[in-house]
Amino acid sequence: MRHAPGKYADFEGLRERAVALRRAGLSRRQIRDRLHVDNNDILNRLLKGEPAPEWTKRPNAKDGLREKARELRLQGWTYDQIQVELGCSKGSISLWVRDLPKPERKRSSAEAAAIARRGWEARLRVREEQRQQTKATAMAEIGDLSDREVLLAGVALYWAEGTKDKPYRRCERLQFVNSDPNVIRFYLRWLDVLGVERERLRFRVSIHESADTARAEEFWADLAGVDAADFQKATIKRHNPKTNRKNTADTYKGCLVIRVLGGADLYRRVEGAWYGIVGAASAADPANRT
């Protein structure tokens, strides 16, 4: 082992003196001052293997908590109760009391499960109330929509959900498919704002073969304010037994397909409006300003 030069050259002699002082009950600071050792690394090597005197050891700040935790555990307290009482972690409590017997259960497993379930259901009710309150507040903030606001929202909706022209497949027509009645209601209002007469609309249901097609057509016809007899032939989706579908309840009404006759020019207007929205949003972005 290499030792520091100079005043630490006689390392073994210095170590003997340090060990003797340590065994005499001196602290590290006292030994350092006596031997004039101002290098902590050297001091560590001089005292290697020598335990510190008891009087230099600091008391454990958690000793009191440990004894209190053991006392409470012997009284039958649970980890949760001890944690609340003492403000320490469950991990520490577990280490302190693991040799003590577990308290006897005051409730059966079924009773404990029922209490836990009631507590969880209460939390769910609170969450649901908060969820509905947030939605109601947001809905009230919207208020009435102007025709321009309906126009802009409808353009964005169509560009997300409607049929679009592709460079590899020319399809300049206005066709929209959706299963959400509220979305369909808004789409029909949007068409009104665009000045599309209802006579230009063609309706068709797209639905799984396991559902009631006639009932679905009546539902969508009533929503759109038209006669179900005027619906075009429904598109039937063949049932795949390997598919784990969730929309099999009585509320399932398939999708409504709405097509506008002679809608090529209208489609071009919608596409132009969409890119106008994109351009306006991009111009308003501070990152694009010079």
Side-chain angles (χ1 to χ4, degrees):
M1 180 184 296
R2 297 181 60 186
H3 304 299
K7 62 180 180 179
Y8 304 130
D10 184 15
F11 185 84
E12 295 304 327
L14 194 62
R15 173 172 166 74
E16 289 181 5
R17 295 170 59 193
V19 169
L21 293 172
R22 190 60 153 172
R23 292 177 180 176
L26 273 67
S27 66
R28 286 173 57 89
R29 179 181 292 275
Q30 291 172 325
I31 296 171
R32 185 186 64 189
D33 293 342
R34 294 279 185 93
L35 301 181
H36 305 290
V37 177
D38 51 11
N39 185 303
N40 281 330
D41 182 56
I42 296 294
L43 185 60
N44 289 338
R45 288 193 282 170
L46 291 173
L47 298 176
K48 184 177 180 181
E50 292 299 317
E54 288 298 325
W55 73 269
T56 64
K57 296 180 181 178
R58 296 181 179 178
N60 190 334
K62 291 187 176 181
D63 283 348
L65 288 176
R66 179 179 180 278
E67 293 306 317
K68 184 62 176 176
R70 292 179 65 82
E71 177 185 335
L72 295 175
R73 186 62 166 175
L74 288 172
Q75 294 176 17
W77 288 39
T78 65
Y79 283 3
D80 288 334
Q81 292 170 324
I82 297 174
Q83 182 183 34
V84 172
E85 178 70 16
L86 302 183
C88 46
S89 71
K90 286 186 181 180
S92 295
I93 296 170
S94 175
L95 291 174
W96 295 339
V97 306
R98 60 185 174 183
D99 60 314
L100 299 179
K102 293 182 180 180
E104 294 183 6
R105 288 187 175 181
K106 298 180 180 179
R107 300 186 182 92
S108 67
S109 298
E111 290 173 333
I115 292 173
R117 184 170 57 253
R118 288 196 295 272
W120 176 245
E121 290 172 350
R123 288 195 293 272
L124 287 180
R125 285 194 296 272
V126 171
R127 290 182 186 179
E128 183 60 24
E129 290 173 3
Q130 293 173 340
R131 183 182 294 111
Q132 295 303 326
Q133 181 59 47
T134 300
K135 293 179 181 180
T137 300
M139 184 172 66
E141 289 174 350
I142 296 300
D144 295 331
L145 294 179
S146 65
D147 285 351
R148 174 176 170 77
E149 290 169 335
V150 172
L151 172 65
L152 296 178
V155 167
L157 174 64
Y158 185 86
W159 209 250
E161 297 289 332
T163 299
K164 292 176 282 294
D165 182 43
K166 304 292 183 183
Y168 53 83
R169 179 177 56 82
R170 286 298 170 193
C171 185
E172 291 183 324
R173 63 176 181 175
L174 222 64
Q175 179 168 286
F176 189 81
V177 183
N178 208 271
S179 63
D180 188 328
N182 289 323
V183 171
I184 293 296
R185 288 189 185 95
F186 182 85
Y187 181 73
L188 290 172
R189 183 184 172 188
W190 178 66
L191 291 177
D192 289 340
V193 170
L194 289 175
V196 178
E197 302 85 359
R198 289 297 169 96
E199 292 75 16
R200 294 175 58 191
L201 302 185
R202 294 296 179 268
F203 299 93
R204 171 169 49 88
V205 168
S206 177
I207 195 167
H208 284 272
E209 63 179 348
S210 57
D212 187 336
T213 302
R215 183 179 178 186
E217 288 178 339
E218 290 291 342
F219 171 82
W220 289 115
D222 182 64
L223 184 145
V226 296
D227 191 341
D230 295 333
F231 271 39
Q232 295 180 327
K233 185 178 180 180
T235 299
I236 305 299
K237 303 177 184 178
R238 298 307 173 191
H239 177 60
N240 183 355
K242 294 182 179 180
T243 302
N244 186 20
R245 288 177 49 228
K246 303 297 183 182
N247 55 345
T248 57
D250 291 340
T251 55
Y252 172 64
K253 299 297 189 301
C255 298
L256 181 63
V257 183
I258 305 176
R259 183 166 63 91
V260 178
L261 294 181
D265 185 66
L266 185 57
Y267 173 85
R268 294 165 192 152
R269 287 170 53 195
V270 171
E271 182 173 350
W274 166 247
Y275 286 110
I277 293 172
V278 172
S282 178
D285 187 348
N288 295 328
R289 297 176 184 173
T290 58

